[in-house]
Structure formats: C-alpha cells, structure tokens
Amino acid sequence: MSKIHLTTIINSDIQTVFDLSRDIDLHQKSTFKTGEKAIAGRTSGMIELGETVTWRAKHLGFYQTHTSKITEMEKPSKFTDVMLKGRFKSFKHQHLFKTRGKQTIMTDILEFESPAGIIGKLFNYFFLKNYMTEFLTERNKVIKLTAEK
C-alpha cells in the first residue's frame, strides 16, 4: 500500500478552506488537465456525509471512472472519502484541517493500492505515487489561490 502525506498552508479561515475542498465544481476546475468530470451522484456544489460522486477522467492515457463515498465528516476539521468502484484495489483519502493563527493547515493523507500483485506494487513505487502527489498538489494550489482571493 502506498501512502501520501501532503500539507498545504493557506492564508484563509478554516471554514472557507474546508468548503472549497469539498466543492465538486472547484475540483473539476483544478483537474482540467485530466478532464475530470462528475458524472453521477453529487455532480455540483459541496459534497456531504454519505454522498457519492462518480468521476470520469483521462489518466495515463485511458478514460477511467472512480466512484467514492464520503464516509466521515466533522465540519470543519475533517472528511474522508473512500473508493467504492474504480481501478484501485483500495483508495482512502483523508482531508484534515487545523487553524494556526489566521492560517489553515490543510493535510491530505491518501492511502491507495493498485491491483496486479507485485507488478502493481512496483508501479505504485516507481510511478503512481509521484503521479498522485502531483495531482493532489495541483488541486491544492487551486484551493489555496481561490481561498486567498
């Protein structure tokens, strides 16, 4: 299993950052490079506890779908999404938020595992972990820019 731990410091209040992080429309803007589109479940606005979203995007040259569900939410300090259907063997993304003065510390903890046994583990180690880190970093840049306006 691969694990990514990414921290982003944002000069904005925690509620704004929390809401932007679960905004489907902003997520689609931040993932324009992969053409990510919400096609089922919650397809716009802010996702809530118990809701699902199905994404369609082009990753690594292939169109893929990924359905996740919000399984945990404590406003405005955290929420977790877990894959229900998709290419991964497992996928869990924790979104954590803390206030530090006038800043919000946004932390992503993404745990995922590819199928295909040892080949999947090697693919994770040599390529996919970096790809997913860059994907999250780009998403977080858009959240930061939007929150700091």
Side-chain angles (χ1 to χ4, degrees):
M1 176 160 313
S2 292
K3 187 173 187 176
I4 296 168
H5 190 275
L6 185 64
T7 300
T8 307
I9 299 169
I10 301 174
N11 296 314
S12 185
D13 66 281
I14 192 169
Q15 188 66 53
T16 298
V17 176
F18 180 82
D19 288 345
L20 290 172
S21 296
R22 56 193 186 95
D23 187 315
I24 301 289
D25 303 302
L26 185 64
H27 182 86
Q28 291 177 118
K29 288 178 187 173
S30 73
T31 58
F32 72 92
K33 290 179 183 176
T34 60
E36 198 147 324
K37 177 95 174 127
I39 59 169
R42 169 68 84 151
T43 58
S44 67
M46 285 182 258
I47 197 158
E48 298 288 348
L49 179 63
E51 291 185 323
T52 63
V53 59
T54 298
W55 300 101
R56 183 173 191 272
K58 192 171 189 177
H59 290 282
L60 309 174
F62 300 96
Y63 281 100
Q64 301 178 36
T65 59
H66 178 101
T67 301
S68 61
K69 180 177 183 174
I70 304 300
T71 59
E72 179 181 26
M73 184 177 290
E74 292 178 24
K75 296 180 180 182
S77 61
K78 68 179 175 176
F79 69 96
T80 302
D81 63 90
V82 175
M83 181 191 74
L84 299 177
K85 294 179 188 174
R87 294 275 214 197
F88 292 94
K89 184 175 179 181
S90 65
F91 186 99
K92 179 181 177 182
H93 187 179
Q94 296 176 71
H95 308 256
L96 308 172
F97 308 87
K98 290 184 181 177
T99 298
R100 183 175 71 191
K102 293 184 179 183
Q103 297 177 319
T104 298
I105 310 302
M106 179 174 73
T107 304
D108 292 277
I109 301 172
L110 177 60
E111 299 172 274
F112 62 92
E113 188 174 359
S114 295
I118 190 69
I119 293 171
K121 287 180 183 180
L122 291 171
F123 182 69
N124 281 357
Y125 181 78
F126 287 109
F127 180 76
L128 192 57
K129 187 173 181 181
N130 287 336
Y131 179 85
M132 295 302 294
T133 300
E134 289 176 25
F135 183 80
L136 285 176
T137 299
E138 188 62 34
R139 174 188 165 272
N140 290 355
K141 283 180 189 175
V142 172
I143 292 169
K144 180 177 173 68
L145 287 171
T146 304
E148 293 180 349
K149 283 185 181 178

